[in-house]
Amino acid sequence: MAVQRSRKPRRAGGYVRISDDPFEEEKGVTRQTEDVQALATQLGWTVSKIYPENDTSAYRKKRIRLPNGRSVWRVIRPEFRQMLKDYEDGLIDGIIVYDLDRLARQPRDLEDLIDLVDHFKRPVSGVTGSLDLMTENGKAMARVLVAMANKSSADTGRRVARERLQRAHDGRGLPPNRPFGWQEDRVTLEPQEAAALRAAILAFINGESWSSAARIIIDSGIAPAGNKRWHLKSIKRMMTAPRVAGIASYSGDLHPSTAPDDDANDETENAPGDTESSEGPPPTPKALALRDAEGSYIQGKWEAVVTVEEWESLIAEMERRHEGLEFTSQGTRKYLLSGLLRCARPRTDGTICNHRMVGISLKASKRNKARTVYKCSSPANGGCGNSQRDMVKLDQLIEDLLFLHLEEDQPPESQRLPEPQQESADAAKLRDVQNRLSMMRTGMREGTTSPESFFAVVPGLEAQEKKLLASVSKARRAQADREQRSKAPDQVRAEWEDATIPGKRALLGQYLQAIIVYPSQTRGRAAFDHATIVPVWKQNTR
């Protein structure tokens, strides 16, 4: 082992690292620390500080945004970087590592250390073998070994990723740690957890916001499967995961939306969704769901929380809200009629305001008590700022008008249930396009379709598929609306009484296009002017 002969380090640093320690037992770094201390005693060095990195990859990169907006990809190792800083600042005067592959698996990291050694001439030694960064031959050997370790990491990552993909295709893709909703065997549902998860999913489909749906799980009093407390993002990810519908999924290195990131010597399988994407947004739930050559979902070997149709409705509802295609409860959880009310007050130029009215809270004054009202936005925000209605009275009026409308527009009992829906033309086209895509992909895989033909045809088919999926999803939502509107008033009343504000807003959205608020004919504290409130009902609502 090459050691600087002029003086022995008295403030050396020791670097120890383990790639994978899911239970954080730190046994590996503890053993390495003991060996580092033993070598220091043998060499006559004094170790003043240990830099431990437990459960930390030296290979996996993450995307970092620079101040100028550009991106770089770097391995994140805080203790390693702190050691280099202390070496440069003179806080340590040498380094002992357990092994070169514990020190670096990316050539860039090794070069950063070599640059410092070239300048400051402080020694670096290794426990398991010769490590000499003070000579050109030693540096060349270190570079070769790190390059080989880097390739080993890439090979291992590719091998593990392929095994994970095969497991997913075989329907064995649930994560190694017990997911919420399933028992320890990861096949059988845990009744209480599965019931809470299903209730949250159905609540979102029926109009509840993400936070309201998540509250169902949180208020159940059931602890998370792997964390100490609940987070909205983790609940949202849990609800939309294909596994809740019994669908196999994959998000690892062979997924087109992710990049290789597995560490080297530890061939451990990470849970789907735990990989760190090196760039771009994470794959959507639809992209994670695996399909066979015929385009059908690959079913996992575990019990499902919801049906495939219910999961697809959940994803469609999520996409619809994200795209802002229709009036929903999203972003307006607090007040019942925000966004539905339209101001009909004439402007000074003779046009109608037609701006949305939203709920606000008014503070108490000497003349008035604190209260909530619906008010048209100020001119700076596109409204007239002059229309205002008492929230409590208007909410009650619209509720009364809704059920009066349902009673008056109630169809005969024989017509109350919707006709069985026949397959639409778009659904037939979608099936045809998916069949053609399946044939092209199978032909490409088996070598019967040339790459030229594949890439000439498939992009166009995929664009058609996306367009038709949106159309079929819209038709399904319309059918769901018809089924909702076919319900008897008593059924709707029961749903209304049990619903939260977002749920009630969703029910209103089934029947109402808008509510027009004309200028009031009364002034001051006179009685509420009911005649100026005109609901606009959707056509054929029953």
Side-chain angles (χ1 to χ4, degrees), residues 33-34 63 120 151-152 180 259 284 302 366 409 447 493:
T33 300
E34 293 171 353
R63 185 181 189 178
F120 294 103
K151 184 179 185 302
S152 175
F180 185 87
T284 63
W302 58 85
K366 293 182 179 180
D409 202 33
R493 170 72 73 177

Side-chain angles (χ1 to χ4, degrees), residues 132 209 233 251 254 288 304 333 357 360 368 373 413 454 478 494 515 517:
D132 176 15
S209 64
K233 284 187 177 180
S251 63
L254 300 182
L288 294 177
R333 302 184 295 260
M357 300 174 65
I360 60 172
N368 298 307
V373 299
E413 185 71 26
F454 182 85
I515 302 168
V517 181

Side-chain angles (χ1 to χ4, degrees), residues 221-241:
I222 305 172
N227 300 318
K228 294 182 179 179
R229 58 193 181 95
W230 289 110
H231 298 276
L232 180 58
K233 284 187 177 180
S234 63
I235 293 177
K236 182 177 179 181
R237 188 165 54 246
M238 181 176 70
M239 289 170 57
T240 57

